[in-house]
Amino acid sequence: SSGINAEWPLRPGTTFLVAAPHLVITILILLVDESPKYLAVSGQGTAAEQVLVRMAAQNNVGLEIEGRLTVETEASRGHVRELFAPEHRKQFTLLLVLFFLVGLIVYSSYSMIPFMLANNYCYNSTTASASDKCQFTDSVLKETAMITTAEIIMVPIFAFVNELFGRIRTLRVLALVLFVASFFLVFCLGNTIFIACLYLQRGAVQSFSLILFIYAPECFPTRIRGISCSLIVSGLFLGGLVSSSIVYPVGVLHGFSRLTLTLALAALGALLVVFGLNTETRGIDLP
């Protein structure tokens, strides 16, 4: 079949397709109400009551507020330095590292899978030139689409497991699956195992990131939840930035052996860091 060059130009129509979901998300975010708890502790009691009434109406639940909503107002809305207080420092650091490692694996996985499939990495990792490695065939696109279904299947499964067994256990299981899949990608043990490991790596890292997004906000009190989650999630994009810098020079130009080893070490790091987390938040009221 004919090859499709990976460096094909990004046409205006394609640019719109890429930008459209972000535009929709932006509009929907603007329509979301502020947290009533945040409004209450910020001294905006009336606004908090209005949000609660709207929430009740949207869920077909009757709500009648008698008197006035009284909540102890927090004079301080939190500072970055509080993240390094003894009670938050360890959790913040571990979550920041985890988001960085997840970002590195997620974005590297997105970038490397088509290249690896196009060059049959397990059997032909050194003979193709750099330009040849940028050719995607029709069969490669089909295999890539199949691997992408890992997210559709595994994310709902582990979201359910997360509610049954808690955040910590689920994160540890996913970290173990991610490490095993990444580890076996280093050693090409045949096409079937190769595809299976790519599949498990993709599904595990996406499920892992989902549980992290659920878990991280539950670890910090309201006054610093916003700043803590903002800084922690920035680790995800920092990992993506590093990924974009290493996939081609470390992966494409060197038969992916170095890149798969790098991602296996990142997965091992995530596994070790997860076992440092010890605060279970399932079924516990937010602080």
Side-chain angles (χ1 to χ4, degrees):
S1 57
S2 61
I4 303 174
N5 195 299
E7 298 179 353
W8 54 279
L10 196 62
R11 296 179 176 84
T14 307
T15 305
F16 173 77
L17 290 176
V18 172
H22 299 82
L23 179 62
V24 173
I25 291 173
T26 302
I27 294 173
L28 291 177
I29 289 176
L30 295 175
L31 297 177
V32 175
D33 286 317
E34 181 58 86
S35 161
K37 181 178 179 180
Y38 176 86
L39 292 171
V41 298
S42 300
Q44 304 176 62
T46 302
E49 293 175 2
Q50 293 172 348
V51 172
L52 288 172
V53 171
R54 282 197 294 272
M55 291 171 61
Q58 291 167 358
N59 290 278
N60 297 318
V61 177
L63 175 65
E64 184 176 349
I65 300 177
E66 298 180 359
R68 292 186 58 82
L69 180 65
T70 57
V71 179
E72 183 179 351
T73 302
E74 296 179 354
S76 172
R77 295 304 308 136
H79 298 280
V80 173
R81 64 175 177 271
E82 292 187 53
L83 298 175
F84 300 96
E87 63 270 27
H88 303 305
R89 182 170 53 228
K90 176 183 175 182
Q91 197 79 351
F92 172 74
T93 304
L94 293 179
L95 287 172
L96 180 63
V97 172
L98 277 176
F99 269 98
F100 170 78
L101 294 173
V102 166
L104 178 64
I105 298 172
V106 165
Y107 292 106
S108 295
S109 174
Y110 284 160
S111 304
M112 75 179 186
I113 286 176
F115 288 116
M116 295 177 76
L117 293 175
N119 292 280
N120 194 9
Y121 164 65
C122 277
Y123 303 111
N124 187 23
S125 60
T126 59
T127 58
S129 65
S131 60
D132 292 336
K133 294 179 188 218
C134 293
Q135 299 295 321
F136 298 171
T137 64
D138 294 339
S139 62
V140 168
L141 295 177
K142 292 176 183 177
E143 289 176 311
T144 304
M146 180 189 71
I147 291 172
T148 303
T149 63
E151 302 174 22
I152 302 173
I153 296 173
M154 293 180 66
V155 168
I157 290 175
F158 280 100
F160 180 70
V161 170
N162 173 61
E163 290 305 315
L164 284 181
F165 300 104
R167 297 12 171 179
I168 300 298
R169 290 182 180 177
T170 306
L171 284 171
R172 289 176 178 176
V173 170
L174 283 168
L176 181 60
V177 172
L178 178 60
F179 170 66
V180 171
S182 301
F183 176 77
F184 280 109
L185 279 176
V186 178
F187 309 97
C188 294
L189 303 178
N191 192 57
T192 301
I193 295 178
F194 173 64
I195 297 295
C197 287
L198 285 176
Y199 190 92
L200 287 174
Q201 184 190 61
R202 181 71 169 266
V205 74
Q206 287 291 0
S207 302
F208 194 89
S209 64
L210 168 69
I211 308 305
L212 280 180
F213 274 111
I214 295 173
Y215 179 65
E218 298 174 341
C219 295
F220 302 96
T222 303
R223 69 179 182 278
I224 58 171
R225 186 170 298 131
I227 186 65
S228 61
C229 291
S230 298
L231 292 176
I232 287 170
V233 173
S234 69
L236 182 74
F237 302 110
L238 181 60
L241 181 63
V242 173
S243 167
S244 65
S245 303
I246 67 173
V247 167
Y248 188 81
V250 178
V252 177
L253 297 181
H254 294 281
F256 290 99
S257 57
R258 296 181 184 179
L259 183 59
T260 53
L261 178 59
T262 300
L263 297 187
L265 292 174
L268 176 61
L271 179 62
L272 296 175
V273 172
V274 161
F275 276 89
L277 298 174
N278 50 27
T279 303
E280 179 56 64
T281 58
R282 182 177 69 96
I284 300 176
D285 292 336
L286 292 176

